[in-house]
Amino acid sequence: MKFNQIKSHAKINLALNVVGKSTRLHLIESIIAFIDIYDVIYIREIKSKKHQVSFFGKFSKNIGSKNTISKLLKILDNKYSLNKRFCIKVKKQIPIKSGLGGGSMNAAAILKYFLKKKIIKINNDEIIKILKMIGEDVILGLISSYLIINSKNKIKQFKKIKSLYILVVKPNFGCSTKDIYLGVKKFEKAKLSNPNKNMFNRDFLKKMHNSLEPVAFLKYPKLKKIKSYLENFSKPLFVRMTGSGSAIVAYFQTKKECVSAMTQFRKEYKKYWCISSKTI
């Protein structure tokens, strides 16, 4: 049987505010977009007693057996009687521990595939329950669009948003999401309580920020240096860390400006990964 191919796109936080904390998790609000950078998932049904999950490509190193895909398959096997077995190979083109949500989006893409192919038949409540068992942000990959999450964890989807050209930079280290959130001591006032399309306007986005940056920059001063460099030499619309890092994203109005910034950055920071892309 031939492999089917699935694209699993990275996501970015155009803005992120930590507005409080529950007994278990921090409460956030965020403006989110998906970008034209993706992992490629190859999947096919096999005759075997066990699933086969493997990773290859530039960013496959250090992905262990306890990954989001294996976790998803285990949940489906144990709780939802997934009576088929699959060989899944993932070409990792999204760097791990970058704030780009690669692992979470992989799990979401596979669950979406299973639902589309009617390999599993479950209702919306069960879908949400599964996704939360894997990770709080996995549900975003099931929607895979321009999104705003408010402080009450309500997600609103938006369409026909004008694309931004972006330069994504990741240094040669990653950030632990858990460690970054543990460093948050102050909370923001909620600004996205009533999500609307105007929140994707350039002027609005410029005024926003990522409230995890001070924690990440204190722990990893190189990230602050990267942001300052991008702000000063390339004249972008704005520069912002995505998620809990370590990727820094510079936003541009045109592809030409973005590619020019990438060329210059690669001359200065030869050992850092960077790529031009756009929101989709």
Side-chain angles (χ1 to χ4, degrees), residues 104-123:
S104 295
M105 299 310 109
N106 288 170
I110 291 170
L111 182 58
K112 190 189 290 188
Y113 172 83
F114 285 164
L115 292 167
K116 184 179 179 181
K117 297 291 184 180
K118 298 183 179 178
I119 292 165
I120 55 170
K121 296 179 182 180
I122 52 179
N123 62 41

Side-chain angles (χ1 to χ4, degrees), residues 36-227:
D36 201 19
I37 299 171
Y38 51 85
D39 293 334
V40 183
I41 301 173
Y42 300 87
I43 182 169
R44 72 178 182 188
E45 189 180 338
I46 56 173
K47 292 181 179 179
S48 175
K49 291 182 179 180
K50 294 182 179 181
H51 301 290
Q52 298 171 7
V53 179
S54 61
F55 300 86
F56 67 101
K58 185 177 179 67
F59 299 109
S60 60
K61 191 177 179 181
N62 299 324
I63 300 177
S65 57
K66 292 183 179 180
N67 55 74
T68 56
I69 296 173
S70 296
K71 195 171 182 179
L72 170 66
L73 294 172
K74 187 176 180 180
I75 292 167
L76 295 178
D77 286 343
N78 294 342
K79 296 183 180 291
Y80 297 93
S81 302
L82 181 63
N83 54 14
K84 296 180 179 181
R85 296 294 175 262
F86 294 89
C87 175
I88 299 173
K89 299 180 179 182
V90 185
K91 184 178 182 182
K92 291 297 294 181
Q93 300 179 136
I94 302 170
I96 61 174
K97 292 187 176 181
S98 60
L100 297 169
S104 295
M105 299 310 109
N106 288 170
I110 291 170
L111 182 58
K112 190 189 290 188
Y113 172 83
F114 285 164
L115 292 167
K116 184 179 179 181
K117 297 291 184 180
K118 298 183 179 178
I119 292 165
I120 55 170
K121 296 179 182 180
I122 52 179
N123 62 41
N124 285 338
D125 289 342
E126 289 173 318
I127 291 169
I128 292 169
K129 187 178 177 182
I130 290 168
L131 296 174
K132 286 190 174 181
M133 289 170 72
I134 302 166
E136 288 296 320
D137 63 341
V138 182
I139 192 171
L140 305 176
L142 211 63
I143 306 169
S144 195
S145 182
Y146 291 94
L147 308 168
I148 295 178
I149 306 173
N150 70 14
S151 56
K152 294 181 180 178
N153 207 30
K154 299 295 183 182
I155 303 171
K156 188 169 182 179
Q157 180 181 1
F158 296 87
K159 296 180 179 179
K160 296 182 180 179
I161 303 293
K162 189 176 179 181
S163 292
L164 284 165
Y165 292 93
I166 60 170
L167 173 61
V168 186
V169 174
K170 184 190 176 296
N172 49 12
F173 59 85
C175 292
S176 163
T177 299
K178 182 180 178 181
D179 288 347
I180 298 301
Y181 273 98
L182 282 173
V184 177
K185 305 301 180 187
K186 295 180 181 179
F187 301 126
E188 303 280 334
K189 184 179 178 181
K191 300 180 182 70
L192 308 176
S193 298
N194 299 301
N196 62 78
K197 198 170 183 178
N198 290 332
M199 290 176 175
F200 288 93
N201 290 347
R202 274 62 166 168
D203 290 339
F204 183 85
L205 289 171
K206 285 179 187 178
K207 295 174 185 176
M208 297 297 287
H209 62 269
N210 180 342
S211 59
L212 296 177
E213 281 185 7
V215 180
F217 290 176
L218 188 64
K219 193 172 181 65
Y220 303 100
K222 286 182 180 179
L223 294 180
K224 186 176 182 179
K225 186 178 179 182
I226 292 169
K227 182 178 179 180

Side-chain angles (χ1 to χ4, degrees), residues 213-277:
E213 281 185 7
V215 180
F217 290 176
L218 188 64
K219 193 172 181 65
Y220 303 100
K222 286 182 180 179
L223 294 180
K224 186 176 182 179
K225 186 178 179 182
I226 292 169
K227 182 178 179 180
S228 296
Y229 181 81
L230 289 169
E231 286 175 330
N232 292 328
F233 92 85
S234 59
K235 296 182 181 178
L237 293 167
F238 59 96
V239 180
R240 197 158 291 150
M241 186 176 79
T242 178
S244 55
S246 61
I248 304 289
V249 184
Y251 296 82
F252 299 88
Q253 291 201 64
T254 69
K255 183 177 181 180
K256 184 178 179 180
E257 289 174 323
C258 185
V259 172
S260 176
M262 180 181 67
T263 302
Q264 181 61 34
F265 186 88
R266 283 178 171 172
K267 289 178 182 177
E268 186 71 21
Y269 291 89
K270 294 181 175 64
K271 294 183 179 180
Y272 288 1
W273 177 80
C274 72
I275 190 169
S276 64
S277 186

